[in-house]
Amino acid sequence: MSSSDFPADLLQAQRAWHAAYRQLAQEENPSQTTALRRALQRLSVRIATHPYWATIPGRATAARMALKQQTWAPDTEQARR
């Protein structure tokens, strides 16, 4: 499954989720961790409820993993795109 198979807004949401997750892993300020956790929750809902998943009912689990793998690239690699 290539990145062109996923809608652009779904790719962007998953990349934002990974970025927030990386930030949360490094954050020490409690008020900032709360904001990052909330952002992760909002992004998780946006990703999980995206209409794209209804178009591939038999392959949704594999597609979700493919999305995660394709968007996990470090921020430096994403900047090249």
Side-chain angles (χ1 to χ4, degrees), residues 11-20 22 67-81:
L11 286 166
Q12 188 279 329
Q14 187 66 55
R15 285 187 187 114
W17 190 97
H18 287 307
R22 287 184 192 109
L67 175 67
K68 290 176 183 181
Q69 290 172 349
Q70 288 179 18
T71 57
W72 182 249
D75 296 332
T76 55
E77 186 173 313
Q78 290 177 15
R80 287 188 282 166
R81 294 178 193 172

Side-chain angles (χ1 to χ4, degrees), residues 2-65:
S2 72
S3 61
S4 62
D5 293 340
F6 295 110
D9 62 328
L10 182 56
L11 286 166
Q12 188 279 329
Q14 187 66 55
R15 285 187 187 114
W17 190 97
H18 287 307
Y21 185 84
R22 287 184 192 109
Q23 268 188 285
L24 180 61
Q26 297 175 353
E27 188 58 53
E28 295 179 14
N29 182 345
S31 65
Q32 194 61 10
T33 59
T34 300
L36 288 168
R37 287 176 194 272
R38 287 181 182 148
L40 282 171
Q41 288 176 331
R42 283 191 303 274
L43 288 164
S44 293
V45 169
R46 186 181 314 163
I47 293 164
T49 61
H50 195 281
Y52 173 75
W53 304 122
T55 67
I56 52 166
R59 304 178 330 172
T61 302
R64 287 175 195 269
M65 290 308 299

